[in-house]
Amino acid sequence: MEEKHKSRLMTEYRRVLENKPIHVLDIPDEYRYMDAELVELIEKSVGAILGLE
């Protein structure tokens, strides 16, 4: 998700999302579904957020 996606979500679902953490991974939408490089980027980013690294 990029900042523009977060903004769209907040515009549409502000009441549902307020007071909930939303993490922007800044991974551009240029990968194909289940691309190995994409999966690796997501695993690293999410692992860091969860404190697994």
Side-chain angles (χ1 to χ4, degrees), residues 1-3 5-6 9 22-27 29:
M1 178 164 65
E2 299 173 55
E3 280 295 332
H5 300 117
K6 179 181 177 180
L9 286 171
I22 298 175
H23 299 280
V24 176
L25 303 179
D26 285 322
I27 298 174
D29 289 336

Side-chain angles (χ1 to χ4, degrees), residues 29-45:
D29 289 336
E30 58 188 41
Y31 297 95
R32 295 178 57 93
Y33 178 72
M34 296 304 290
D35 181 305
E37 185 178 352
L38 172 61
V39 172
E40 183 178 342
L41 284 170
I42 292 171
E43 287 175 345
K44 285 182 181 177
S45 297

Side-chain angles (χ1 to χ4, degrees), residues 1-14 17 22 24:
M1 178 164 65
E2 299 173 55
E3 280 295 332
K4 65 182 178 183
H5 300 117
K6 179 181 177 180
S7 294
R8 288 182 197 158
L9 286 171
M10 291 305 292
T11 299
E12 288 280 327
Y13 305 104
R14 181 166 305 279
L17 297 174
I22 298 175
V24 176

